[in-house]
Amino acid sequence: MTREGEVHGIPADPSAAISVRGLTKTFGNFTAVDGIDLDVPRGQVFGFLGPNGSGKTTTIRILTGTSAPRRGQALVLGEDVVAHPERVRPRIGYMSQKFALFEDLTVDENLRFYAGVYALDPAVFAARRRYILEMADLQGRERELTRNLSVGWRQRLALGTATIHEPALFFLDAPTSGVDPVARRQFWDLLYELAGRGVTLFVTTHYMEEASHCHRLAFIYRGRIVAEGSPSEIRANLSTQRVYDVTVRDADLALSWLETADGIAEAYLSGAALHAVIDRGVDRGAGALRDRLVAAGFADAVVVSVEPTIEDVFVNLVSRERGA
Amino acid sequence: MSLTRIRLLVWKEFLQLRRDPLLLRLLLLMPIIQLVGFGYVVSVDVRNLPTAVVDLDQTVVSRQLESSFTASGYFLVVARPDAETQLTSLLDTGVAKVALVIPQGTQDLLARGQTAPVGIVVDGSDSQIASVGSGYAAQAIARFNASRTAAFTGSLQAPGIDARTRVVFNPTLDPINTMIPGLVAAILMISLMSIMSQAVVRERESGTLEQMFVTPIRPSEYLIGKVAPYALLAVAQLSVVAAIGMLWFKVPFNGSVWVVFVGLALFLLISVGLGLLVSLISRTRQQAQQALVFIMIPTMVLSGFIFPIESMPEAIQPLTYAVPLRYALTVLRGSFVKGSGFEALATPLWAMVGFAIVIFGAAVIATRRRIAE
Ligand SMILES: Nc1ncnc2c1ncn2[C@@H]1O[C@H](COP(=O)(O)OP(=O)(O)OP(=O)(O)O)[C@@H](O)[C@H]1O
Ligand SMILES: [Mg+2]
């Protein structure tokens, strides 16, 4: 089933950083990417979200020209990346969660390798090298083996090498997984800096708090885009429902009670607390929910009405999709 | 294709090799240990030795003599040349490993009660075949003489056939002389394949492979950048092994340097290609190791490296044609021991060319298809 043009009803847009129509990728009988349409305007930070195995990496591989789609059109920086990956590659950058540096090469050797690959001329390389060493806080450590750097430094160096050729479009596939929250925040500061210089960023992530850093978001679930828009548009998806934050000592037990309780559309762990989603039609407020919890034996329950987060929307979209 | 990028890839590969202590050990220590360790190999039973019979006598007796050879089951007549001069090419090409020469007048000599000399020529380039073959030949002649003695019941003195065995190519019948050239090939293959089989899969595991293929690096550049450093290493390693073989074990070298060079170069390419292929289709290093063992064991067993192909069950023998090492051994043994030239070794050399083409073709296809997935 091709959904080419179904969502947008317009042809792929060569002026966009990425414009994709009806993109499909199969592995045997399994459809990993199922006819997706995407438009990523230039200069934006585009968040590509989805649970494990939903098809994010597969999509990025097609867009970087390392994997051929079964069907569909993919324009990257105005070029057909499927037919002419070599036209696209010098202008894109890519960073995966593996921080793919050569661990048995030094900081400098890694930089020199990638500079050579992109055929940077010596003057440009010298300037880029200086910039990257400063950005990654690695001045004076140029001759250290990459393997001996700790995670935060390695990640920043990987960012530097992957952007050594100043790409117009930068793909990041779960770049912050396995990185502590402080390093993650620092990393996002660097990404903002890149975005500030006009680089389009296409970022996949599992971390919901990172979604709000993006200009636009797309949710992919089981190979299909289930929602797309700015973070606030996405949140509006939950406008017919209310989200309550439930804090209770015995969270596990409370969760199983909430999951089966009448009138609760959705219940799940959110950080240390629980989130309960209730349709506005049957909602009778935080107090009413607390009373029910106390009656059920959770005397210490604290219930607060909260603004839905991206994660709330996401859980909701997925459960709707499952129900459908 | 960009030379600059290939140079970069080679540079990077050498830097990495230099920093891998395990690899250097694998590269230099392993061959030496193996060379010494495999020094001697148990002798095995040989059947159906390809035999050429030059019957210049063409009599009842000469035919009886021939049948006493074939009846033993150890000799299989594959050629009946008219003249002794044709033996050289038969033995050179390995069509025959043993030759029986029955001179004209053998029956007459025996009838007159005299001793008749016959010639037995044994190819010494495979010392196992040579020693076992000449032993069986002596037995066959003894049997022939015994049956004649039984017929001449009245006679006290029973004159008979006197076998003059001549071993060609490796007159001293030193097993080392045939082992070393084979070992050179086998060791080359083992270490090259094990190193090469890790080369790509390691980069796949670390994610650097994926990273490189979103850059302008092309698959063909990547392949050349991978293979070239290892091919150079193989040459270095080969020199070590060959030097030890020739200086320590004192293996004589009778052949043409060019034949050995071409044969080894082809085999080296095949080994690198096979290792590369294993590396390309494996997802993890462990898988690559398993695949390696899966290839290595039949190679060792079927190539004629450990057991002479002639001693294998007939149903198995056709399988040996699928083993590249078989051809390398033929070329190396032929050239080291017999001094055979390009003409005599054309078949195994072309077979290796064929293998190299198929293997690298498959490697290019595998690179294109499996790089990202
Ligand atoms: N080479 C392949 N062969 C077969 N199936 C594959 C292959 N690559 C990916 N898949 C499958 O396709 C689906 C999508 O995988 P993909 O890696 O794109 O997910 P993802 O969204 O990136 O997940 P994660 O968040 O865990 O990285 C998964 O079910 C995966 O098992
Ligand atoms: Mg992924």
Side-chain angles (χ1 to χ4, degrees), chain B residues 100-114:
Chain B
L100 170 64
V101 183
I102 307 169
Q104 199 175 2
T106 300
Q107 179 172 289
D108 291 343
L109 277 175
L110 288 175
R112 274 185 264 134
Q114 289 180 320

Side-chain angles (χ1 to χ4, degrees), chain B residues 316-329:
Chain B
I316 300 284
Q317 289 190 16
L319 292 178
T320 63
Y321 291 103
V323 178
L325 181 58
R326 179 204 158 115
Y327 305 98
L329 291 179

Side-chain angles (χ1 to χ4, degrees), chain A residues 296-312:
Chain A
F298 303 100
D300 64 328
V302 178
V303 177
V304 189
S305 169
V306 292
E307 273 297 301
T309 63
I310 299 294
E311 183 180 17
D312 293 317

Side-chain angles (χ1 to χ4, degrees), chain B residues 180-221:
Chain B
I180 298 298
L183 262 184
V184 168
I187 287 171
L188 192 78
M189 169 164 164
I190 294 173
S191 60
L192 268 184
M193 272 187 69
S194 20
I195 294 165
M196 203 65 214
S197 67
Q198 300 296 307
V200 178
V201 77
R202 196 180 50 203
E203 292 191 330
R204 188 196 297 285
E205 275 187 354
S206 70
T208 46
L209 187 73
E210 199 182 342
Q211 187 72 42
M212 278 189 276
F213 280 100
V214 298
T215 73
I217 294 172
R218 307 261 169 111
S220 53
E221 293 164 359

Side-chain angles (χ1 to χ4, degrees), chain A residues 184-206:
Chain A
R184 213 184 299 158
R185 192 140 346 107
Q186 286 175 347
F187 188 74
W188 270 94
D189 287 341
L190 292 172
L191 292 188
Y192 278 136
E193 206 180 305
L194 272 177
R197 282 188 279 136
V199 180
T200 309
L201 302 181
F202 187 94
V203 188
T204 81
T205 178
H206 294 125

Side-chain angles (χ1 to χ4, degrees), chain B residues 51-82:
Chain B
T51 305
V53 176
V54 186
D55 187 353
L56 301 171
D57 197 28
Q58 298 283 358
T59 57
V60 177
V61 164
S62 71
R63 276 187 282 276
Q64 277 174 358
L65 182 58
E66 183 189 319
S67 66
S68 77
F69 263 73
T70 50
S72 69
Y74 295 118
F75 302 97
L76 182 71
V77 177
V78 293
R80 295 176 194 283
D82 298 324

